[in-house]
Amino acid sequence: MKSLSRWLIAAAATVGSVLVLSGTAVAATGQSGAALSLAVQPVSANSVNLALSAQVGSGAAGQKVTFFIQTQEFSSHGWMAVGSSTTNSAGAASYTYTPTWTGAELFGAALGSSNSVSAPSVVKSFQVLKDPPGVPQSVIEYSRPLGSTGGVFVKSILGVLALVWVLLLGSLALVVWRMPRLAGASVDSGRKVRD
Amino acid sequence: MKETDMNENVLLDENGHRAAQQAWAADVRRAALKPTIGRTSVAWRLSVTVLGLIVLAGIGAWIYQLKYGLGAAGYNDQAFWAVYIVDVVAFIGVSYGGAVISAVLRLTGQSWRAPLTRLAEGTALVTVIIGALFIFPHLGRPERFWEIPIFVNTSSPLFWDFMAISTYVLATVIFFYLPLIPDMAIVNKTLGRADRPVLYKIYKVLSLKWMGSERQRRMLHSVLTLISLIIIPLAVSVHSVLSWAFATTSRPGWMETVFPPYFVIAALYSGTALVIVVASAFRKGYHLERFITKRHFVRLGYIMAALGLVYAYLTIADLMSEGYTGITSGWIRETISGRYAIPFWFYVLAGEVLPIALVAVKKTRNIKGMTVASIGVVIALWIKRIVIVLPPVTQPLIGSYWGTYHFTWVSITITLAGVAAIPLGLMLLFRVLPVLSIEEMEEMGELGSVEQVSRETLEAQKHLPAFAYANGNGNGHVNGNGVGMPEKEVQL
């Protein structure tokens, strides 16, 4: 079952890649006649942010470029537009993206706005590393939301816990102390312990 | 008129009612006290010996693990949590079922609960102690356990586990002890000083001079109601805290908001199933067929099936919510179609489809059907905990190298020792304490439930040797020995 599912995923990814690649040619020739390329690299050496840089031909200014990342829902993959920008006089457009998890990531770009394109025409893989050197904080290491109020919270819970212990032990103590005294205190209609 | 109808008419007759009550009370006492004051059978001694040897083997395996480290149990860099935390969750979980079932039925005044309460509360007590003890093999440095309450670290889930479990153990002990007070007075009077002098003294002290007066009864009822009210949220909190030990750990598949109710329902589900299994085993082994009848199993079966449906829903919610985002869903693929697919689908079949089908189909809605369903649930829910623990813990956070966990003879032996300790603990417990709640059973007889039970008994015993209440003489039953019991010797 495991190998079958992996084979299916691999097959779907291959078919998807072929479709994406064939889409590259169509989009490139259909809209500008110029090739679109994509580069992904950290904004700076110590930054977790990535610069997604697209190049449209040479000097094709004012063109809209939409950037994508590949998402995964259960075992299927899909493209999600993360942002867009317009090419400058050199035909370059860039977008800064903050990755939210580590590992191999697929980025894409396509000419056009996110309303007109739903898949990239060029794809680039990039390995996102956890905690690049020099970065003091990752998303996980940000200060915890209960950091300031946690002390009061903890004391409250300990207080409730102490109350529960008092109730439990108090009830037991009450029974142990009071029950023998009630034995001879009444002659009533209750059922007696029969021999 | 058929003989059975005649018997029922006689039973319901005004004159026969009191005799039936007396006979019922005598039967209850005899059945409840026989395991405590009677001689043990060869089968009982053999069972205790075998179970005791398994427990000793488990202790031996733990000593081996102490010498060679957690690696002896299959733990490694990736699988830093594995079978022992599963055992902690599973054993404390089943204890929750026993306690809550008893508390809820007590609070709602369900008189049919009476034959089950002692077994349910005893199961809760034994399993919570075993579950708490499983924390020790789970720890890499168990000799430093004492530091948990001394050097308090409130940021650690382990501290809160310790607090929650210790509170729950205290509540379970009190919840087990209080209904025993009247019964211990009865045992004390029945036993006599000469038979077992040490036990006689213990019962005398613990029965707190119980005389059954109205004021004593009122006080006991009030305190029991309070403890029942406390134990339900306490049990919920214990399992929430256990789940937070996972949910506050930054692992895919664990860090989820659904975990507290997920764990609580799993505990209730498996706990109800274990109560059915224990009731079935003790009914057969201790000859309690007259008191624990088909309706007990069917009603518990309904509760179990409802909890099973809720648990199935939460399982889907767990997989869906994280699977949809796809961010860290590798463990889901491994669970559904990867290396953990067989245990996962075993849970689906044995832990959901089979029990719900057995409860749904009228033909299988009987003692045997409910017992089979419950055994399936208990085993499947333990395996489900394995599926909850291992795929997330072995999923890589960087790279694509999946960790592995392999069971070893050490982890298997220690786990089997825990399993064997349940019947062993219960058998030893009910060697010194009544297996039925005599006081509540007699109260049930006074409330008139005896008639319904007797009807069922008569119906169920059409083909058994006659020892029904009524003997057809219009005075209700009193057999030769005057205590309304079958002549058949009760064997433990």
Side-chain angles (χ1 to χ4, degrees), chain B residues 461-483:
Chain B
Q461 292 171 347
K462 277 177 187 171
H463 307 293
L464 293 178
F467 53 81
Y469 289 103
N471 61 4
N473 64 6
N475 294 322
H477 160 75
V478 177
N479 68 10
N481 58 15
V483 292

Side-chain angles (χ1 to χ4, degrees), chain A residues 1-2 5 72-75 102 161 165 168 171 174 178-180 182-183 188 191-195, chain B residues 29 163 167 189 209-212 214 216-217 219 226 323-326 333 337 397 439 442 446:
Chain A
M1 193 178 278
K2 176 184 158 191
S5 67
Q72 188 181 334
E73 291 165 2
F74 283 102
S75 295
T102 57
L161 208 55
W165 275 75
L168 289 173
S171 303
L174 183 71
R178 191 86 181 114
M179 194 68 82
L182 292 176
D188 52 42
R191 290 194 321 279
K192 304 291 183 195
V193 177
R194 290 182 288 265
D195 290 323
Chain B
R29 287 187 183 208
M163 294 304 289
T167 309
K189 287 200 180 286
K209 295 185 179 173
W210 175 267
M211 295 296 289
E214 191 58 36
Q216 281 185 324
R217 220 172 275 282
M219 182 185 185
L226 177 68
Y324 184 77
T325 63
R333 276 200 306 279
S337 59
L397 291 183
E439 172 74 5
E442 289 182 3
E446 288 186 0

Side-chain angles (χ1 to χ4, degrees), chain B residues 191-227:
Chain B
L191 196 61
R193 190 189 295 269
D195 297 334
R196 289 159 89 176
V198 178
L199 272 182
Y200 178 84
K201 279 181 188 167
I202 293 172
Y203 293 139
K204 190 174 181 183
V205 171
L206 293 179
S207 61
L208 303 175
K209 295 185 179 173
W210 175 267
M211 295 296 289
S213 70
E214 191 58 36
R215 290 177 69 184
Q216 281 185 324
R217 220 172 275 282
R218 267 207 307 272
M219 182 185 185
L220 187 64
H221 179 75
S222 305
V223 176
L224 262 174
T225 303
L226 177 68
I227 303 293

Side-chain angles (χ1 to χ4, degrees), chain A residues 98-152:
Chain A
T98 306
T100 51
W101 62 90
T102 57
E105 190 73 89
L106 275 183
F107 295 93
L111 284 171
S113 69
S114 58
N115 292 331
S116 60
V117 290
S118 57
S121 54
V122 288
V123 173
K124 184 83 177 176
S125 175
F126 186 81
Q127 188 74 21
V128 179
L129 299 175
K130 188 186 179 190
D131 292 346
V135 176
Q137 289 184 325
S138 70
V139 173
I140 293 168
E141 289 164 345
Y142 286 138
S143 58
R144 292 163 197 263
L146 289 175
S148 56
T149 55
V152 178

Side-chain angles (χ1 to χ4, degrees), chain B residues 422-479:
Chain B
I422 298 177
L424 178 66
L426 287 170
M427 288 170 79
L428 294 176
L429 191 69
F430 295 129
R431 178 67 187 137
V432 292
L433 296 169
V435 69
L436 295 173
S437 181
I438 301 170
E439 172 74 5
E440 287 180 42
M441 295 278 285
E442 289 182 3
E443 200 172 315
M444 189 178 99
E446 288 186 0
L447 287 170
S449 305
V450 62
E451 289 169 4
Q452 190 178 347
V453 175
S454 300
R455 261 190 233 109
E456 290 181 9
T457 306
L458 287 168
E459 193 63 32
Q461 292 171 347
K462 277 177 187 171
H463 307 293
L464 293 178
F467 53 81
Y469 289 103
N471 61 4
N473 64 6
N475 294 322
H477 160 75
V478 177
N479 68 10

Side-chain angles (χ1 to χ4, degrees), chain B residues 89-99 101 116 119-128 130-131 266-282 297 300-301 304 307 370-379 381-382 385 418-423 426:
Chain B
V89 172
F91 279 87
I92 293 179
V94 290
S95 121
Y96 178 25
I101 287 289
L116 295 173
L119 284 170
E121 288 156 13
T123 305
L125 180 70
V126 169
T127 50
V128 76
I130 298 168
L268 270 176
Y269 185 30
S270 56
T272 309
L274 188 67
V275 169
I276 294 176
V277 174
V278 168
S280 179
F282 275 80
F297 287 89
L300 286 176
M304 183 177 73
L307 291 166
M370 296 305 97
T371 306
V372 170
S374 305
I375 291 170
V377 170
V378 171
I379 295 171
L381 266 281
W382 185 85
R385 267 72 169 245
V419 174
I422 298 177
L426 287 170

Side-chain angles (χ1 to χ4, degrees), chain A residues 43 48-52 69 80 82-83 95-101 105 107 128:
Chain A
V43 171
V48 291
N49 294 329
L50 299 176
L52 312 181
I69 60 163
M80 183 176 80
V82 292
Y95 181 83
T96 302
Y97 175 72
T98 306
T100 51
W101 62 90
E105 190 73 89
F107 295 93
V128 179

